Coordinates of all heavy atoms in Angstrom, one line a residue:
A1 N 0.8 -1.2 0.0 CA 0.0 0.0 0.0 C 0.9 1.2 0.0 O 2.0 1.2 0.5 CB -0.9 0.0 1.2
G2 N 0.4 2.3 -0.5 CA 1.1 3.5 -0.5 C 2.0 3.7 -1.7 O 2.0 2.9 -2.6
Q3 N 2.9 4.7 -1.7 CA 3.8 4.9 -2.7 C 5.1 5.4 -2.1 O 5.1 5.9 -1.0 CB 3.2 5.9 -3.8 CG 2.8 7.2 -3.2 CD 1.9 8.0 -4.1 OE1 1.0 7.5 -4.7 NE2 2.2 9.3 -4.2
D4 N 6.2 5.3 -2.9 CA 7.5 5.7 -2.4 C 7.7 7.2 -2.3 O 8.3 7.8 -1.5 CB 8.6 5.1 -3.2 CG 8.7 3.6 -3.0 OD1 8.4 3.1 -1.9 OD2 9.2 2.9 -3.9
K5 N 7.1 7.9 -3.3 CA 7.2 9.4 -3.4 C 5.8 10.0 -3.6 O 5.0 9.5 -4.4 CB 8.1 9.7 -4.6 CG 8.4 11.2 -4.7 CD 9.5 11.4 -5.7 CE 9.7 12.9 -5.9 NZ 10.7 13.3 -6.8
W6 N 5.6 11.1 -3.0 CA 4.3 11.8 -3.1 C 4.2 12.4 -4.5 O 5.1 13.0 -4.9 CB 4.2 12.8 -2.0 CG 2.9 13.6 -2.1 CD1 1.7 13.2 -1.5 CD2 2.6 14.8 -2.8 NE1 0.7 14.1 -1.8 CE2 1.2 15.1 -2.6 CE3 3.4 15.7 -3.5 CZ2 0.7 16.2 -3.1 CZ3 2.8 16.8 -4.0 CH2 1.4 17.1 -3.8
E7 N 3.0 12.3 -5.1 CA 2.7 13.0 -6.3 C 1.3 13.6 -6.2 O 0.4 13.0 -5.7 CB 2.7 12.0 -7.5 CG 4.1 11.4 -7.8 CD 4.1 10.5 -9.0 OE1 3.2 10.6 -9.9 OE2 4.9 9.6 -9.0
A8 N 1.2 14.8 -6.7 CA -0.1 15.5 -6.7 C -1.1 14.8 -7.6 O -0.7 14.3 -8.6 CB 0.1 17.0 -7.1
T9 N -2.3 14.8 -7.2 CA -3.4 14.2 -8.0 C -3.9 15.3 -8.9 O -3.8 16.5 -8.6 CB -4.5 13.6 -7.2 OG1 -5.0 14.6 -6.3 CG2 -4.0 12.5 -6.3
E10 N -4.5 14.9 -10.0 CA -5.0 15.8 -11.0 C -6.1 16.6 -10.3 O -7.0 16.1 -9.6 CB -5.6 15.1 -12.2 CG -6.1 16.1 -13.3 CD -6.5 15.3 -14.5 OE1 -6.0 14.2 -14.8 OE2 -7.3 15.9 -15.3
G11 N -6.1 18.0 -10.4 CA -7.0 18.8 -9.7 C -6.8 19.1 -8.3 O -7.5 19.8 -7.6
G12 N -5.7 18.5 -7.7 CA -5.4 18.6 -6.3 C -4.4 19.7 -6.1 O -4.1 20.5 -7.0
F13 N -3.9 19.8 -4.9 CA -2.9 20.8 -4.5 C -1.5 20.3 -4.8 O -1.2 19.1 -4.6 CB -3.0 21.1 -3.0 CG -4.4 21.6 -2.6 CD1 -5.2 20.9 -1.7 CD2 -4.9 22.8 -3.1 CE1 -6.4 21.4 -1.3 CE2 -6.1 23.3 -2.8 CZ -6.9 22.6 -1.9
N14 N -0.6 21.1 -5.2 CA 0.8 20.7 -5.5 C 1.7 20.9 -4.3 O 2.7 20.3 -4.2 CB 1.3 21.6 -6.6 CG 0.7 21.2 -8.0 OD1 0.6 20.0 -8.3 ND2 0.3 22.2 -8.7
C15 N 1.3 21.7 -3.3 CA 2.1 21.9 -2.1 C 1.2 22.6 -1.1 O 0.0 23.0 -1.3 CB 3.3 22.8 -2.5 SG 2.8 24.5 -3.0
G16 N 1.8 22.7 0.1 CA 1.1 23.3 1.2 C 0.6 24.7 1.0 O -0.4 25.2 1.5
M17 N 1.4 25.5 0.2 CA 1.1 26.9 -0.1 C -0.2 26.9 -0.9 O -1.1 27.8 -0.7 CB 2.2 27.5 -0.9 CG 2.0 29.0 -1.0 SD 3.5 29.9 -1.6 CE 3.9 29.1 -3.1
D18 N -0.5 26.0 -1.8 CA -1.7 25.9 -2.5 C -2.9 25.7 -1.6 O -4.0 26.3 -1.7 CB -1.7 24.8 -3.6 CG -0.7 25.0 -4.7 OD1 -0.3 26.2 -4.8 OD2 -0.4 24.1 -5.4
L19 N -2.7 24.8 -0.6 CA -3.8 24.5 0.4 C -4.1 25.8 1.2 O -5.3 26.1 1.4 CB -3.4 23.4 1.3 CG -4.3 23.1 2.4 CD1 -5.7 22.7 1.9 CD2 -3.8 22.0 3.3
V20 N -3.1 26.5 1.7 CA -3.3 27.7 2.4 C -4.0 28.8 1.6 O -5.0 29.4 2.1 CB -2.0 28.2 3.0 CG1 -2.1 29.6 3.6 CG2 -1.4 27.3 4.0
A21 N -3.6 28.9 0.3 CA -4.3 29.9 -0.5 C -5.8 29.5 -0.7 O -6.6 30.4 -0.7 CB -3.6 30.0 -1.9
F22 N -6.0 28.3 -0.9 CA -7.4 27.8 -1.0 C -8.3 28.1 0.2 O -9.4 28.6 0.1 CB -7.5 26.3 -1.3 CG -8.8 25.7 -1.3 CD1 -9.6 25.7 -2.5 CD2 -9.4 25.1 -0.2 CE1 -10.9 25.2 -2.5 CE2 -10.6 24.5 -0.2 CZ -11.4 24.6 -1.4
I23 N -7.7 27.8 1.4 CA -8.4 28.1 2.6 C -8.7 29.6 2.8 O -9.8 30.0 3.1 CB -7.6 27.6 3.8 CG1 -7.6 26.0 3.8 CG2 -8.2 28.0 5.1 CD1 -6.6 25.4 4.8
R24 N -7.7 30.4 2.5 CA -7.8 31.9 2.6 C -8.9 32.4 1.6 O -9.7 33.2 2.0 CB -6.5 32.6 2.4 CG -5.5 32.4 3.5 CD -5.9 33.3 4.7 NE -5.0 33.2 5.7 CZ -5.3 32.9 7.0 NH1 -6.5 32.6 7.3 NH2 -4.3 32.9 7.9
Q25 N -8.8 31.9 0.4 CA -9.8 32.3 -0.6 C -11.2 32.0 -0.3 O -12.2 32.7 -0.5 CB -9.4 31.8 -2.0 CG -10.3 32.2 -3.1 CD -9.9 31.6 -4.4 OE1 -9.0 30.7 -4.5 NE2 -10.5 32.0 -5.5
N26 N -11.4 30.8 0.3 CA -12.7 30.3 0.5 C -13.3 30.6 1.9 O -14.5 30.6 2.1 CB -12.8 28.8 0.3 CG -12.7 28.5 -1.2 OD1 -13.6 28.6 -2.0 ND2 -11.5 28.1 -1.7
Y27 N -12.4 30.8 2.9 CA -12.8 30.9 4.3 C -12.3 32.2 5.0 O -12.6 32.4 6.1 CB -12.4 29.7 5.1 CG -13.0 28.4 4.5 CD1 -12.3 27.6 3.8 CD2 -14.4 28.1 4.7 CE1 -12.8 26.4 3.2 CE2 -14.9 27.0 4.1 CZ -14.1 26.2 3.4 OH -14.7 25.0 2.8
G28 N -11.6 33.0 4.2 CA -11.1 34.3 4.8 C -10.0 34.1 5.8 O -9.3 33.1 5.8
D29 N -9.8 35.1 6.6 CA -8.7 35.1 7.6 C -9.2 35.2 9.0 O -8.7 35.9 9.8 CB -7.7 36.2 7.3 CG -8.3 37.6 7.4 OD1 -9.6 37.7 7.6 OD2 -7.6 38.6 7.3
H30 N -10.2 34.3 9.3 CA -10.8 34.3 10.6 C -10.0 33.5 11.6 O -10.3 33.5 12.8 CB -12.2 33.8 10.5 CG -13.1 34.5 9.6 ND1 -13.6 35.8 9.8 CD2 -13.6 34.2 8.3 CE1 -14.3 36.2 8.8 NE2 -14.3 35.3 7.9
F31 N -9.0 32.8 11.2 CA -8.2 32.0 12.0 C -6.8 31.9 11.5 O -6.5 32.2 10.3 CB -8.8 30.6 12.2 CG -9.1 29.9 10.9 CD1 -8.1 29.2 10.2 CD2 -10.3 30.1 10.3 CE1 -8.4 28.6 9.0 CE2 -10.6 29.5 9.0 CZ -9.6 28.7 8.4
G32 N -5.8 31.5 12.3 CA -4.4 31.4 11.9 C -4.2 30.0 11.3 O -4.8 29.0 11.6
I33 N -3.2 30.0 10.3 CA -2.8 28.7 9.7 C -1.3 28.6 9.9 O -0.6 29.5 9.5 CB -3.2 28.7 8.2 CG1 -4.7 28.9 8.0 CG2 -2.7 27.5 7.5 CD1 -5.1 29.1 6.5
S34 N -0.9 27.5 10.4 CA 0.5 27.2 10.5 C 0.9 26.0 9.7 O 0.1 25.1 9.6 CB 0.9 26.9 12.0 OG 0.6 28.0 12.8
V35 N 2.0 26.0 9.1 CA 2.5 24.9 8.2 C 3.9 24.6 8.6 O 4.7 25.4 9.0 CB 2.3 25.2 6.7 CG1 0.9 25.5 6.4 CG2 3.2 26.4 6.3
A36 N 4.3 23.4 8.3 CA 5.7 22.9 8.4 C 6.3 23.1 7.0 O 5.7 22.9 6.0 CB 5.8 21.5 8.9
G37 N 7.5 23.5 7.0 CA 8.2 23.7 5.7 C 9.6 23.2 5.8 O 10.1 22.6 6.7
Y38 N 10.3 23.5 4.7 CA 11.7 23.1 4.6 C 12.6 24.3 4.5 O 12.8 24.9 3.5 CB 11.9 22.3 3.3 CG 11.1 21.0 3.2 CD1 9.9 21.0 2.4 CD2 11.5 19.9 3.9 CE1 9.2 19.8 2.3 CE2 10.8 18.7 3.8 CZ 9.6 18.7 3.0 OH 8.9 17.5 2.9
P39 N 13.1 24.8 5.7 CA 13.9 26.0 5.7 C 15.2 25.9 4.9 O 15.8 26.8 4.4 CB 14.2 26.3 7.1 CG 14.0 25.0 7.8 CD 13.0 24.2 7.0
E40 N 15.7 24.6 4.7 CA 16.9 24.4 3.9 C 16.6 24.1 2.4 O 17.5 24.0 1.6 CB 17.7 23.2 4.5 CG 17.1 21.9 4.3 CD 15.9 21.6 5.3 OE1 15.7 22.4 6.2 OE2 15.3 20.5 5.2
G41 N 15.3 24.1 2.1 CA 14.9 23.8 0.7 C 14.3 22.4 0.6 O 14.5 21.6 1.5
H42 N 13.5 22.2 -0.4 CA 12.8 20.9 -0.5 C 13.8 19.8 -0.7 O 14.7 19.9 -1.5 CB 11.8 21.0 -1.7 CG 10.8 19.8 -1.6 ND1 11.2 18.6 -2.1 CD2 9.6 19.7 -1.2 CE1 10.1 17.8 -2.0 NE2 9.2 18.4 -1.4
P43 N 13.6 18.6 -0.1 CA 14.5 17.5 -0.2 C 14.8 17.1 -1.7 O 15.9 16.6 -2.0 CB 13.8 16.4 0.6 CG 13.0 17.1 1.6 CD 12.5 18.3 0.9
D44 N 13.8 17.2 -2.5 CA 14.0 16.8 -3.9 C 14.9 17.8 -4.7 O 15.4 17.5 -5.7 CB 12.6 16.8 -4.7 CG 11.7 15.7 -4.3 OD1 12.2 14.7 -3.6 OD2 10.5 15.7 -4.6
K45 N 15.2 18.9 -4.1 CA 16.0 20.0 -4.8 C 17.4 20.0 -4.2 O 18.2 20.8 -4.6 CB 15.3 21.3 -4.7 CG 14.0 21.4 -5.4 CD 14.2 21.2 -6.9 CE 12.9 21.4 -7.6 NZ 13.0 21.2 -9.0
I46 N 17.7 19.3 -3.1 CA 19.0 19.4 -2.4 C 19.9 18.5 -3.2 O 19.7 17.3 -3.5 CB 18.9 18.9 -1.0 CG1 18.0 20.0 -0.2 CG2 20.3 18.8 -0.3 CD1 17.8 19.6 1.2
K47 N 21.1 19.0 -3.6 CA 22.1 18.3 -4.4 C 23.5 18.4 -3.7 O 23.8 19.3 -3.0 CB 22.1 18.9 -5.8 CG 20.8 18.8 -6.5 CD 20.9 19.3 -7.9 CE 19.6 19.1 -8.7 NZ 18.4 19.6 -8.1
T48 N 24.3 17.5 -4.1 CA 25.7 17.4 -3.6 C 26.5 18.5 -4.3 O 26.3 18.8 -5.4 CB 26.3 16.1 -3.9 OG1 25.6 15.0 -3.3 CG2 27.8 16.0 -3.4
V49 N 27.3 19.2 -3.5 CA 28.1 20.3 -3.9 C 29.5 19.8 -4.3 O 30.1 19.1 -3.5 CB 28.3 21.4 -2.8 CG1 29.2 22.5 -3.3 CG2 26.9 22.0 -2.4
T50 N 29.9 20.0 -5.6 CA 31.2 19.5 -6.0 C 32.3 20.6 -5.9 O 33.5 20.2 -5.9 CB 31.1 19.1 -7.5 OG1 30.6 20.1 -8.3 CG2 30.1 17.9 -7.6
G51 N 32.0 21.8 -5.8 CA 33.0 22.9 -5.8 C 33.4 23.3 -4.4 O 34.2 24.2 -4.3
G52 N 32.9 22.6 -3.4 CA 33.3 22.9 -2.0 C 32.6 24.1 -1.4 O 31.8 24.8 -2.1
F53 N 32.8 24.4 -0.2 CA 32.1 25.4 0.6 C 32.3 26.8 0.0 O 31.4 27.6 -0.1 CB 32.6 25.4 2.0 CG 31.8 26.3 2.9 CD1 30.5 25.9 3.4 CD2 32.3 27.5 3.4 CE1 29.8 26.7 4.2 CE2 31.5 28.3 4.2 CZ 30.3 27.9 4.6
D54 N 33.5 27.1 -0.5 CA 33.8 28.4 -1.1 C 33.1 28.7 -2.4 O 33.0 29.8 -2.8 CB 35.3 28.6 -1.3 CG 36.1 28.7 0.0 OD1 35.5 29.0 1.0 OD2 37.3 28.3 0.1
S55 N 32.6 27.6 -3.0 CA 31.8 27.8 -4.3 C 30.4 28.3 -4.0 O 29.7 28.6 -5.0 CB 31.8 26.6 -5.1 OG 31.0 25.5 -4.5
L56 N 29.9 28.3 -2.8 CA 28.5 28.6 -2.5 C 28.4 30.1 -2.3 O 29.3 30.8 -1.8 CB 28.1 27.9 -1.2 CG 28.2 26.3 -1.2 CD1 27.9 25.8 0.2 CD2 27.3 25.8 -2.2
S57 N 27.1 30.6 -2.5 CA 26.8 32.0 -2.2 C 26.6 32.1 -0.7 O 26.5 31.0 0.0 CB 25.5 32.3 -2.9 OG 24.4 31.7 -2.4
E58 N 26.5 33.3 -0.2 CA 26.4 33.4 1.2 C 25.1 32.8 1.7 O 25.1 32.2 2.8 CB 26.4 34.9 1.6 CG 27.8 35.6 1.4 CD 28.8 34.9 2.3 OE1 28.6 34.6 3.5 OE2 29.9 34.6 1.7
S59 N 24.0 32.9 1.0 CA 22.7 32.3 1.4 C 22.8 30.8 1.4 O 22.2 30.1 2.2 CB 21.5 32.8 0.6 OG 21.7 32.6 -0.7
E60 N 23.5 30.2 0.4 CA 23.7 28.8 0.3 C 24.5 28.3 1.4 O 24.2 27.2 2.0 CB 24.3 28.4 -1.1 CG 23.4 28.6 -2.3 CD 24.1 28.4 -3.6 OE1 25.3 28.6 -3.7 OE2 23.4 28.1 -4.6
K61 N 25.5 29.0 1.8 CA 26.3 28.7 3.0 C 25.5 28.5 4.2 O 25.8 27.7 5.1 CB 27.5 29.7 3.2 CG 28.5 29.6 2.1 CD 29.6 30.6 2.3 CE 30.6 30.6 1.2 NZ 31.6 31.6 1.3
R62 N 24.5 29.4 4.4 CA 23.6 29.3 5.6 C 22.7 28.1 5.5 O 22.3 27.7 6.6 CB 22.9 30.6 5.7 CG 23.7 31.8 6.1 CD 22.9 33.0 6.5 NE 22.1 33.5 5.4 CZ 22.5 34.4 4.5 NH1 23.7 34.9 4.6 NH2 21.7 34.8 3.6
R63 N 22.3 27.6 4.4 CA 21.4 26.5 4.2 C 22.1 25.2 4.1 O 21.4 24.1 4.2 CB 20.5 26.7 3.0 CG 19.5 27.7 3.1 CD 18.5 27.6 1.9 NE 19.1 27.5 0.6 CZ 19.4 28.6 -0.2 NH1 19.2 29.8 0.3 NH2 19.9 28.4 -1.3
C64 N 23.3 25.1 3.8 CA 24.0 23.9 3.4 C 24.1 22.9 4.6 O 24.0 23.4 5.8 CB 25.4 24.1 2.8 SG 26.6 24.6 4.0
S65 N 24.3 21.7 4.4 CA 24.5 20.7 5.4 C 25.7 19.9 5.1 O 26.0 19.7 3.9 CB 23.3 19.8 5.7 OG 23.0 19.1 4.5
V66 N 26.4 19.4 6.1 CA 27.6 18.6 5.9 C 27.3 17.2 6.5 O 26.9 17.1 7.6 CB 28.8 19.2 6.6 CG1 30.1 18.3 6.4 CG2 29.1 20.6 6.0
Q67 N 27.6 16.2 5.7 CA 27.4 14.8 6.2 C 28.9 14.2 6.3 O 29.6 14.4 5.3 CB 26.6 13.9 5.2 CG 25.2 14.4 5.0 CD 25.0 15.5 4.0 OE1 25.8 15.6 3.1 NE2 24.1 16.5 4.3
V68 N 29.2 13.5 7.4 CA 30.5 13.0 7.6 C 30.3 11.4 7.6 O 29.6 10.9 8.4 CB 31.1 13.5 8.9 CG1 32.5 12.9 9.1 CG2 31.2 15.0 8.9
A69 N 31.1 10.8 6.7 CA 31.1 9.3 6.6 C 31.9 8.8 7.7 O 32.7 9.5 8.3 CB 31.6 8.9 5.2
D70 N 31.8 7.5 7.9 CA 32.6 6.8 8.9 C 34.1 7.0 8.7 O 34.8 7.0 9.7 CB 32.3 5.3 8.9 CG 30.9 5.0 9.4 OD1 30.3 5.9 10.1 OD2 30.3 3.9 9.1
D71 N 34.5 7.1 7.5 CA 36.0 7.3 7.2 C 36.4 8.8 7.3 O 37.6 9.1 7.1 CB 36.3 6.8 5.9 CG 35.7 7.5 4.7 OD1 35.0 8.5 4.9 OD2 36.0 7.1 3.5
G72 N 35.5 9.7 7.7 CA 35.8 11.1 7.9 C 35.6 11.9 6.7 O 35.7 13.1 6.7
T73 N 35.2 11.3 5.6 CA 35.0 12.1 4.3 C 33.7 12.9 4.5 O 32.7 12.4 5.0 CB 34.8 11.1 3.1 OG1 35.9 10.3 3.0 CG2 34.6 11.9 1.8
E74 N 33.9 14.2 4.1 CA 32.7 15.1 4.2 C 32.1 15.3 2.9 O 32.7 15.5 1.9 CB 33.2 16.5 4.8 CG 33.6 16.4 6.2 CD 34.0 17.8 6.8 OE1 34.0 18.8 6.0 OE2 34.2 17.9 8.0
T75 N 30.7 15.3 2.9 CA 29.9 15.6 1.7 C 29.1 16.8 2.0 O 28.3 16.8 3.0 CB 29.1 14.4 1.3 OG1 29.9 13.3 1.1 CG2 28.3 14.7 0.0
L76 N 29.1 17.8 1.2 CA 28.3 19.0 1.4 C 27.1 19.0 0.4 O 27.3 18.6 -0.7 CB 29.3 20.2 1.0 CG 28.8 21.6 1.3 CD1 28.6 21.8 2.8 CD2 29.8 22.6 0.7
S77 N 26.0 19.3 0.9 CA 24.8 19.4 0.1 C 24.0 20.6 0.4 O 24.0 21.2 1.5 CB 23.9 18.1 0.3 OG 23.5 18.0 1.6
V78 N 23.2 21.1 -0.7 CA 22.5 22.4 -0.5 C 21.4 22.4 -1.6 O 21.6 21.9 -2.7 CB 23.4 23.6 -0.5 CG1 24.0 23.8 -1.9 CG2 22.7 24.8 0.0
C79 N 20.4 23.2 -1.3 CA 19.4 23.6 -2.3 C 19.9 24.9 -2.9 O 20.1 25.9 -2.2 CB 18.0 23.8 -1.7 SG 16.7 24.3 -2.8
S80 N 20.2 24.9 -4.2 CA 20.8 26.1 -4.9 C 19.9 27.3 -4.7 O 18.7 27.2 -4.5 CB 21.0 25.8 -6.3 OG 19.8 25.8 -7.0
D81 N 20.4 28.5 -4.8 CA 19.6 29.7 -4.7 C 18.5 29.7 -5.8 O 17.4 30.1 -5.5 CB 20.5 31.0 -4.9 CG 21.4 31.3 -3.7 OD1 21.0 30.8 -2.6 OD2 22.4 32.0 -3.9
A82 N 18.8 29.3 -7.0 CA 17.8 29.3 -8.1 C 16.7 28.4 -7.7 O 15.5 28.7 -7.9 CB 18.5 28.8 -9.4
D83 N 17.0 27.1 -7.2 CA 15.9 26.2 -6.8 C 15.1 26.7 -5.6 O 13.9 26.6 -5.5 CB 16.4 24.8 -6.6 CG 16.8 24.1 -7.8 OD1 16.3 24.4 -8.9 OD2 17.7 23.2 -7.7
F84 N 15.9 27.3 -4.7 CA 15.3 27.8 -3.4 C 14.3 29.0 -3.7 O 13.2 29.1 -3.1 CB 16.3 28.3 -2.5 CG 15.8 28.6 -1.1 CD1 15.6 27.5 -0.2 CD2 15.6 29.8 -0.6 CE1 15.1 27.7 1.1 CE2 15.2 30.1 0.7 CZ 14.9 29.0 1.5
A85 N 14.6 29.8 -4.7 CA 13.7 30.9 -5.1 C 12.4 30.4 -5.6 O 11.4 31.0 -5.4 CB 14.4 31.8 -6.1
V86 N 12.4 29.3 -6.3 CA 11.2 28.7 -6.8 C 10.3 28.1 -5.7 O 9.1 28.1 -5.8 CB 11.5 27.6 -7.9 CG1 10.3 26.9 -8.3 CG2 12.3 28.2 -9.0
E87 N 10.9 27.7 -4.7 CA 10.2 27.1 -3.5 C 9.3 28.1 -3.0 O 8.3 28.2 -2.5 CB 11.1 26.7 -2.4 CG 12.1 25.6 -2.8 CD 11.6 24.2 -2.8 OE1 10.9 23.9 -1.9 OE2 11.9 23.4 -3.7

């Protein structure tokens, strides 16, 4: 049952922002709406950085994460500024 990756259904919402816009349009602002998000960028848009930390923009440096393997090798990953802007 279920699926490995979420996919929007035809006529449905593509993301949480679509749902919030729908609620606001149809029910006004009589109550607060809180949502969980991805401050570092959507997981589907996070990619491994090949140019090292110095190749990142200042905003990418604030969002990036470092994974350290058992052998001490570090891998840097980030959602690029271009992809983050689309989010």
Side-chain angles (χ1 to χ4, degrees):
Q3 57 195 45
D4 291 332
K5 185 174 177 177
W6 180 85
E7 292 182 27
T9 59
E10 187 174 334
F13 302 116
N14 289 315
C15 64
M17 192 166 56
D18 292 345
L19 174 60
V20 171
F22 174 83
I23 292 170
R24 287 285 182 235
Q25 180 180 8
N26 290 282
Y27 302 101
D29 61 354
H30 303 289
F31 52 89
I33 300 173
S34 297
V35 298
Y38 299 103
E40 69 281 358
H42 193 278
D44 288 347
K45 299 293 183 181
I46 295 175
K47 297 184 176 54
T48 301
V49 176
T50 56
F53 190 76
D54 290 336
S55 70
L56 301 174
S57 69
E58 290 303 312
S59 58
E60 289 171 338
K61 288 176 182 176
R62 290 190 297 272
R63 284 194 309 274
C64 73
S65 64
V66 178
Q67 299 80 36
V68 181
D70 291 339
D71 66 359
T73 304
E74 293 184 350
T75 303
L76 187 65
S77 58
V78 70
C79 178
S80 71
D81 285 338
D83 286 336
F84 193 76
V86 175
E87 300 276 322

